Amino acid sequence: PRMILPHMPAVTASPETAGRVRNGNAVNLPEMSEAKLVRVFANQSDLLAIASRIAGTLFQPKVVLAAASKEGK
């Protein structure tokens, strides 16, 4: 999954940030201040979302990829 869209920068979200992204909420990604679009990962292999910079270091998820819940298994 890290090889998907290699031209786009990637960031691994903290668990708290990942929860906000999953719900479609804007998040602060200070390490991505210059990027227009970023790939947001929940860990090293799970692509969580594609987010768009809306102001400064604030990013809005544009496409959220839902992962199967491990609680129901």
Side-chain angles (χ1 to χ4, degrees):
R2 287 267 177 185
M3 300 305 293
I4 296 171
L5 304 169
H7 63 283
M8 197 178 295
V11 62
T12 300
S14 68
E16 181 180 333
T17 299
R20 291 184 51 80
V21 169
R22 279 188 191 93
N23 289 319
N25 296 315
V27 294
N28 186 33
L29 301 173
E31 62 275 17
M32 296 290 149
S33 62
E34 298 297 318
K36 291 183 180 182
L37 291 171
V38 297
R39 298 172 292 157
V40 182
F41 284 82
N43 54 44
Q44 289 299 314
S45 62
D46 293 329
L47 180 60
L48 180 59
I50 303 296
S52 171
R53 183 164 53 93
I54 55 176
T57 60
L58 190 64
F59 285 79
Q60 179 70 49
K62 294 298 180 184
V63 177
V64 177
L65 306 169
S69 172
K70 293 182 180 180
E71 295 172 6
K73 291 185 179 179

